[in-house]
Amino acid sequence: MADPVLNVLAGALRLWIRSQCDSLGSVELALNGSTWSLLRGRLDGVTLRARDACFQGLPLRSVELCSGPIAVDMKLLSPGQMLALQQPFQVEGEVSINGRQLNSALLAEPWRWLGDWMAEQLMGLSPLGALRIDADLLELQAPVVAHQEPARRRFRLNAEQGTLCFRPETADEPCTLLPMDPAIRIVHVQLASGQLALKGQASVTP
């Protein structure tokens, strides 16, 4: 039988998650543990599944996250606060991003800087004109002065050193690593069916 206190808390957290997103299609959230373990300062973990989420301007087709144990302190709760977290905890999971939506995001704020960084570092041109996923390749386009057609370059993506590695389609050229927050580690990357899928791990600090 489901724990009624954790069910109520999960419902409140679902509402909070919706309030933090620009838009959100569906969300499922489960707290693992019991009221007794919560009162003793521990949640066994949290599982989150969401679809069609837009967070801080980044469109996510699907999100699946699972946390490790979380230390909580009910004595430190302030009015309106649902959980008081004191220690970092680990999260792992997978997100997928539709290529067309990613293209739109990288051509607008707040992610325009990332699109232009990719164009500059990977093509030596700026700004980014377009991004397209073609089978297992990522194609970047950038406008060229006095040319009608944009410059185009295609890359394979894989996970290296905890981040995204852009490897030119012609394997004899050097690859480029995307700067990554040290608290986040990418472990697997896949391009398929017009989508980018990322698997990773993160350390969350309250």
Side-chain angles (χ1 to χ4, degrees):
M1 181 177 177
D3 188 297
V5 173
L6 293 189
N7 278 349
V8 170
L9 184 55
L13 287 171
R14 280 193 291 271
L15 291 175
W16 179 80
I17 290 170
R18 283 191 177 276
S19 74
Q20 300 301 303
C21 294
D22 305 326
S23 61
L24 180 58
S26 65
V27 60
E28 299 175 16
L29 181 74
L31 305 184
N32 307 319
S34 66
T35 300
W36 176 241
S37 64
L38 182 64
L39 292 174
R40 295 182 67 187
R42 174 189 169 98
L43 271 176
D44 293 339
V46 176
T47 302
L48 169 71
R49 293 184 178 87
R51 293 190 63 81
D52 299 324
C54 185
F55 179 70
Q56 296 183 354
L58 187 64
L60 304 173
R61 179 67 178 139
S62 66
V63 180
E64 293 190 14
L65 301 176
C66 182
S67 83
I70 301 174
V72 299
D73 193 333
M74 304 302 287
K75 294 179 293 186
L76 295 180
L77 285 177
S78 57
Q81 188 179 8
M82 290 170 286
L83 287 175
L85 308 181
Q86 287 187 292
Q87 301 175 11
F89 59 93
Q90 301 300 310
V91 173
E92 62 180 29
E94 179 175 358
V95 300
S96 66
I97 306 173
N98 177 274
R100 291 187 298 275
Q101 292 179 321
L102 179 60
N103 173 67
S104 298
L106 293 177
L107 297 180
E109 298 298 339
W111 296 100
R112 178 87 215 192
W113 68 270
L114 178 57
D116 291 344
W117 180 91
M118 292 168 61
E120 177 67 34
Q121 296 296 317
L122 300 174
M123 304 180 69
L125 297 168
S126 188
L128 178 70
L131 172 149
R132 189 170 69 94
I133 296 174
D134 182 12
D136 62 346
L137 293 170
L138 183 76
E139 181 181 281
L140 300 182
Q141 301 178 15
V144 181
V145 176
H147 286 73
Q148 236 180 355
E149 289 294 316
R152 305 170 190 264
R153 290 199 71 186
R154 289 152 65 95
F155 301 85
R156 301 187 187 279
L157 291 187
N158 61 294
E160 286 190 18
Q161 301 179 41
T163 186
L164 288 180
C165 176
F166 296 85
R167 192 173 300 279
E169 188 178 13
T170 51
D172 56 334
E173 298 184 55
C175 63
T176 301
L177 297 177
L178 177 71
M180 184 64 65
D181 185 326
I184 300 173
R185 182 174 180 81
I186 304 298
V187 298
H188 183 71
V189 183
Q190 183 178 18
L191 291 171
S193 303
Q195 295 193 96
L196 167 64
L198 303 172
K199 289 184 180 180
Q201 306 160 345
S203 177
V204 179
T205 301

